[in-house]
Amino acid sequence: MSQQNPQPTGHYARTNDPQEPTSQAGSAQPDVGSRLNAPAPSTGVPDVSPSFQRDHAAADGSGHQPEEQPRVDLLEEGDVVDREPTEQHGTAELGSESDSGDSSEFPSADLVYGRIPITDVSPVVEGGRFPATAIPGEDIRVSATVFREGHDSLGASAVLYNPQGHEVQRVTMTPGAPGTDRFHAVLRPLAEGHWSFAVEGWSDLYDTWRHAAEIKIGVGQDVELMFKEGQLLFEAASKESSRSAAEAQAFEDAAARMVDTGLPVEARLAAGTSAEIKAYVSERPLRDLLTSSQRFPIEVEREAAGRGAWYEFFPRSEGATWDAEAGRWISGNFTTAVEALDRAAAMGFDVAYLPPIHPIGRNHRKGPNNSLEAGPQDPGSPWAIGSAEGGHDTIHPDLGTFEDFDKFVAHAHELGMEVALDLALQASPDHPWVAEHPQWFTTRADGSIAYAENPPKKYQDIYPLNFDNDPQGLAREVLRVVELWISHGVDIFRVDNPHTKPLWFWEWLIARVREEHPNTVFLAEAFTRPAMMQGLAKAGFQQSYSYFTWRNTKEEIEEYLEEVSHETSSAYRPNFFVNTPDILTEYLQFGGPAAFKVRAALASTASPLWGVYAGYELFEHVARPGAEEYMDNEKFELRPRDFQGAVDRGESLAPYITRLNEIRRDHPALGDLQNLTVQSTTDSAIVAYSKTKTVERDGHEVKDTVIVVINTDTHATREATVWLDLDSLDLGDHDFNEDGSFWVDDLISGASWKWGTHNYVRLDPYIEPAHVLNIRRNVK
């Protein structure tokens, strides 16, 4: 269920003590400083060797300042060095104390800018107070603004550090749009843990020389001076300790040709600008004035935190039977619900999500379709938790025992699935908490306990919790409940309405739980203001429901995909649920079977996380009049379904869903969030986007690209030209046919076409509303 109630704001730091949630602002000071070059020698060659480093904010937060150490060799791309990231700066003797009257350090250590300014680094969450998030093998897009004074060339690198603080990856960043000074790169952590990254800026000695030499020598200006500078530069490069013998020899040969006046000027210049030299300096640039940002944290969590397909069902409906004599349905249980696990696994789902499985209150119990009057046979809403039988630490008697639940979870694990349990922090009027801890609820002016409301919706059968009266006691109790279910094999919690609880509580609880149980994953069921949804992500929720459910037009879809894949992806991971027991959108109500295909294709390919509520595969679309809610809502009554019969009659979407999940497993490009590129189309209903990722298979790098083209108009055939940004597809020479085209294979229909920059498509929603295309690589 979803409520959208405004909540007071505040910030509490994570603490290891469940009894004392505290408020701490915290701070993170960037490494700062600058470097002063000694005067350049008369040859004009920059000082490329002497360099010094200082750490102004130790990565471990200790504040310890390591001693300055000289660095003799030029740092090179690909080097693995175990050192703290620092702002690089040197020292210059400006005069004795008696000359200046000032013994303070120069330049001062409290400067913001380093020698090469580095600003606006991403992904950084609130200046590094919270970590950016990732999963093993995920590509992280790193960006920064790097600039300098004057006209000399500069470069930038993104550097990844493992949980032990060792550098494990260094990537030269690519300049962005001209004039923006933005640089971009991709880093890829390979294991779970507390990682970090930094951005380095540096003076590009080779590109500065090459640019000036080509211009000046081209017009006959300072010819011998430029060659002399080139000689000194290449000689210094040849002496770098990490250069191979072949590289060192190439630089030595280039240095010799720089000053060989017996050669034509053109040949001397060509020796310093050859493809071989450019390749060497591209791989390991010649750098000076090296400046580094501080290290920024990245929390790399297990794969289920960021990738997965979820299937939601009510255990009480699975295997429910009709008792003709009593005139009522008899609830299913964990034993009969095993069939639902088999069904979900056969469709390729990774997570079986269960609504609350606890006893249900009778006081103010709701009847069918959320009616206020419940009959004696009505089961009530599972979210109205608590009765005389118990509360959040108890299983509803109709569903079975803890032993039955343990067998259910064990069967899920045998199928390669995990069980996610709903964590709904609320109580029915009959919950033991109400009598034992009335301070955990809100008492109104008339003495009654406030029930839940989301005007105009009212939930008289549910009392919200109040975290202001006894925060320590309530926090300890919730922690106890969560740890109880973890002990029974639950590692994933879908949290109901987390936005109606204070953020400090979630930050504290999730950190406390993951400290002892690092595999635990929390999904936020929060349809509310963006600030709160993103705040929950920063507080520790690894994934969240999203507004994808209501983004149905081309413009809405394109805008939202850009937002979640590029603007908020540093911490917020959207789970694209196509429906929920609470939500049946008008698009599904009136779009026919094609609408169900469209939304499933979009959700499963655009996000690494997607979810389906049972009944979706049966095209259930009848809503309660005037509402986006199912008629005969399963929240309030049992809904047994004939899933297999629908498959046998050809009236089920299960085969299509199964194919989508197979495609997700086979194509690693679909497992990342940030690699999505929206492509252009000429039709107002056709959406196109692509995802590309390079992976290693059998010791070889393999590029995987998926292009998705979808007709969002479920009632009419649409035709369009799809214009592709070929750079985003990372195509190589061997991927093109002789005529300049490349092959795409439709992973849904099996058809193949030759494509290029612009491509004609025709999508009939009554036949197939979507292309899911894979680029065929290495055709030559």
Side-chain angles (χ1 to χ4, degrees), residues 82-275:
D82 298 344
R83 61 177 176 80
E84 298 295 330
T86 60
E87 290 283 4
Q88 300 280 341
H89 60 93
T91 57
E93 190 170 325
L94 301 179
S96 65
E97 183 176 340
S98 59
D99 294 334
S100 64
D102 182 6
S103 61
S104 63
E105 179 187 10
F106 186 86
S108 61
D110 60 351
L111 297 178
V112 172
Y113 285 127
R115 181 59 185 85
I116 304 292
I118 302 169
T119 64
D120 299 326
V121 179
S122 67
V124 175
V125 182
E126 294 198 11
R129 294 174 65 194
F130 298 100
T133 57
I135 48 182
E138 181 180 12
D139 287 340
I140 302 170
R141 268 59 183 173
V142 176
S143 299
T145 299
V146 186
F147 58 100
R148 67 169 300 177
E149 83 294 340
H151 302 287
D152 286 356
S153 299
L154 60 79
S157 300
V159 187
L160 183 65
Y161 299 90
N162 66 16
Q164 291 72 43
H166 302 160
E167 177 185 321
V168 294
Q169 186 182 13
R170 174 183 293 271
V171 179
T172 299
M173 303 181 76
T174 302
T180 64
D181 293 315
R182 291 295 284 176
F183 287 79
H184 309 279
V186 172
L187 297 174
R188 183 182 296 180
L190 298 178
E192 299 170 35
H194 305 296
W195 295 64
S196 61
F197 78 98
V199 172
E200 295 178 348
W202 32 271
S203 178
D204 189 332
L205 301 176
Y206 175 77
D207 196 64
T208 297
W209 173 83
R210 180 200 57 77
H211 178 73
E214 288 179 341
I215 293 175
K216 290 187 175 183
I217 294 174
V219 298
Q221 184 182 61
D222 296 335
V223 173
E224 293 305 321
L225 179 58
M226 296 308 302
F227 281 134
K228 183 62 176 178
E229 290 180 353
Q231 177 205 13
L232 295 174
L233 181 64
F234 294 136
E235 284 180 346
S238 71
K239 293 179 173 59
E240 292 173 8
S241 60
S242 62
R243 297 285 179 186
S244 67
E247 288 180 90
Q249 188 61 55
F251 282 120
E252 289 178 4
D253 293 344
R257 286 179 173 82
M258 291 294 98
V259 291
D260 187 349
T261 56
L263 294 173
V265 169
E266 294 79 9
R268 295 163 68 187
L269 179 60
T273 58
S274 68

Side-chain angles (χ1 to χ4, degrees), residues 372-484:
L372 294 178
E373 298 296 329
Q377 311 298 337
D378 291 325
S381 168
W383 281 272
I385 298 171
S387 71
E389 289 89 352
H392 288 72
D393 55 359
T394 310
I395 292 176
H396 196 296
D398 289 350
L399 296 178
T401 65
F402 270 101
E403 182 180 0
D404 297 325
F405 179 75
D406 292 343
K407 292 179 180 178
F408 178 86
V409 173
H411 186 69
H413 292 169
E414 290 171 0
L415 296 170
M417 299 181 67
E418 297 192 54
V419 173
L421 185 62
D422 200 292
L423 180 63
L425 298 186
Q426 56 208 30
S428 81
D430 303 326
H431 197 295
W433 286 347
V434 177
E436 297 170 7
H437 302 282
Q439 72 275 18
W440 291 353
F441 303 91
T442 298
T443 302
R444 307 191 71 174
D446 62 359
S448 65
I449 294 179
Y451 56 77
E453 294 185 79
N454 181 17
K457 294 181 181 181
K458 293 186 177 182
Y459 304 91
Q460 297 91 337
D461 55 339
I462 293 173
Y463 287 167
L465 297 176
N466 186 324
F467 283 80
D468 294 327
N469 297 333
D470 179 19
Q472 294 180 11
L474 186 50
R476 287 197 299 268
E477 173 67 358
V478 175
L479 177 62
R480 182 188 71 82
V481 167
V482 170
E483 291 185 325
L484 167 69

